[in-house]
Amino acid sequence: MDWIDVHHHAYHGRLADALAARGVTHMAPGVPVPRWEPADTLRVMAEHDLAAVVLSVLVPDAALLLPDAADLVRRTNEWTAEVVRGHPDRFGLLATLPLPDLDAALAEVGHAFDVLGADGVVLPASLADGAVLGDPGLDPLLAELDRRDAVVFVHPNPGYRCSCTGAPDFAAVVPPPLVDFVADTTRAVANLLFRGALRRFPRIRFVLAHGGGTIPFLVGRLELARTWVLPGQDGSVAEELGRLYYETAQSSTAAALACVDAVAEPGHVLFGTDFPFMTDPVVGRTRREVAAHRPDIGGAALALFPRLRAAARR
C-alpha cells in the first residue's frame, strides 16, 4: 500500500461549469472536459491499492487567454486545496499557473506554496502563446521555482497540435494525444536541455509525464547532438536527463519501461495513471504492468512528496 499516483487529474465539477460558462467544453479536439469528484478517486484508490494520489489540473488554452484567467486559476487551485485539506494524507496538490501571464504566474506560485501549502506545480510543455518550456522568457518563473526547490510536473499542453506542414489532416486521422502530446513533452525537455535551463535551475525536481515522451529513446541521439549544439560543454546528456523523474502513465509496457530504466537514476521512476482520462481498467492494467517490471516503485515518490508518508506507512 505504498504506491502513489503522481499523474492524477482533479477536474472539479465547478471547474467544468466555469469553463462551460466561458464557452470552453473540450480539453482538446474530441476530448471533453471531464467532471470529477473526490469520491471517484477514492474508489479507484481502494480498488487498486493506491496509498495516495497527487492531484493536478491543466486549464485549456482557450480559458487561459481570457482576461479573467488568473482568477479562474486561483479558484481552481483553491478548490483542489479544499479537497486536499479534507484528505491530507491521501491527496497531494500540484498547483496550476495562469501562463502565459508571467506576472500572474509568479503571484500564483507564492499563493500556492505560502497559502495553500502546495506540494509542487504543474507546467504545460508548451504555452498558449507558442512559447516552449525552457524559453528564456520563462526564466524568472523557473528561477523562483528553483529558489523554492519545487517539484514541477511537466505535462503536454492539452491544446498542442503539431504544425505538420504538408499534412493538414494528420490530427483528424491520428488524435493529438497519441503522437503530438509526447512530441510536446519531448520538445520541452530538449529545449530545457539545450538552452541550459536544467543546469541553471538544478534544484527544480522535474517530473516528466508519460515516461518523458520520446526522450528516453532519444538520449543517444541528443548526446551526439551536444557536440555541435553545445560544443565544449562538460558533462553528458545522459547525466542531465538521468536526474529528471519519469512517470508511467500510458508508458507502462515492458519496452517503454526498459527505455526509461536505461536513462533514469535509481528512485527516479514514479507511478502514474492519468485518471480520469484513463479509465478504471486502464489504471488496473498500468499497475499490473508496472508491478511486474518494477515491484519496488511504490516508495519512489516519497522523496518528492514526503507529506504523504503517513498514507504509505498505513
Side-chain angles (χ1 to χ4, degrees):
M1 273 293 289
D2 60 350
W3 284 52
I4 296 173
D5 181 357
V6 303
H7 187 166
H8 205 98
H9 294 303
Y11 284 90
H12 313 273
R14 287 178 288 185
L15 173 60
D17 291 340
L19 289 171
R22 291 161 173 79
V24 179
T25 59
H26 284 70
M27 302 297 301
V31 183
V33 174
R35 299 185 70 90
W36 170 89
E37 297 295 337
D40 300 331
T41 286
L42 291 170
R43 173 181 49 77
V44 167
M45 293 169 69
E47 288 177 1
H48 302 292
D49 293 330
L50 303 180
V53 302
V54 184
L55 301 174
S56 58
V57 177
L58 277 298
V59 175
D61 282 354
L64 289 173
L65 293 174
L66 296 175
D68 65 345
D71 178 66
L72 177 62
V73 167
R74 172 67 56 87
R75 284 190 286 150
T76 299
N77 287 332
E78 290 179 342
W79 290 332
T80 308
E82 179 183 323
V83 171
V84 172
R85 285 193 295 271
H87 306 272
D89 63 339
R90 308 301 305 276
F91 292 149
L93 166 61
L94 295 175
T96 304
L97 302 182
L99 292 167
D101 187 332
L102 184 60
D103 290 338
L106 286 166
E108 193 60 28
V109 167
H111 183 77
F113 285 105
D114 300 335
V115 178
L116 301 181
D119 300 289
V121 302
V122 57
L123 294 182
S126 60
L127 276 56
D129 64 355
V132 178
L133 191 60
D135 284 357
L138 295 172
D139 276 4
L141 175 60
L142 295 184
E144 176 61 14
L145 294 169
D146 184 74
R147 185 183 73 81
R148 292 176 176 270
D149 297 322
V151 174
V152 173
F153 182 38
V154 180
H155 190 286
N157 183 342
Y160 175 74
R161 298 184 64 173
C162 177
S163 55
C164 301
T165 57
D169 297 327
F170 178 80
V173 177
V174 182
L178 300 184
V179 174
D180 292 342
F181 278 22
V182 292
D184 195 31
T185 300
T186 301
R187 290 197 319 156
V189 177
N191 203 41
L192 287 163
L193 173 71
F194 287 118
R195 289 189 184 273
L198 297 181
R199 291 192 169 205
R200 292 198 309 279
F201 309 113
R203 291 185 294 276
I204 296 177
R205 277 82 56 80
F206 286 105
V207 178
L208 308 181
H210 308 128
T214 61
I215 285 294
F217 182 80
L218 294 175
V219 169
R221 187 178 183 91
L222 297 174
E223 189 76 71
L224 291 172
R226 182 188 286 283
T227 61
W228 50 274
V229 177
L230 295 173
Q233 186 174 107
D234 294 333
S236 74
V237 165
E239 290 171 353
E240 291 195 52
L241 297 181
R243 293 195 301 270
L244 307 180
Y245 293 80
Y246 301 79
E247 65 85 19
T248 63
Q250 300 170 52
S251 303
S252 57
T253 64
L257 290 173
C259 281
V260 171
D261 279 346
V263 176
E265 291 182 359
H268 284 230
V269 182
L270 311 176
F271 178 69
T273 67
D274 206 358
F275 183 84
F277 293 103
M278 296 297 105
T279 59
D280 290 18
V282 177
V283 172
R285 185 176 70 195
T286 301
R287 196 189 192 291
R288 290 192 299 273
E289 289 177 343
V290 174
H293 180 85
R294 183 180 276 271
D296 61 343
I297 197 174
L302 293 178
L304 296 183
F305 305 105
R307 190 176 56 75
L308 300 176
R309 286 186 184 277
R313 284 196 299 268
R314 186 178 65 247

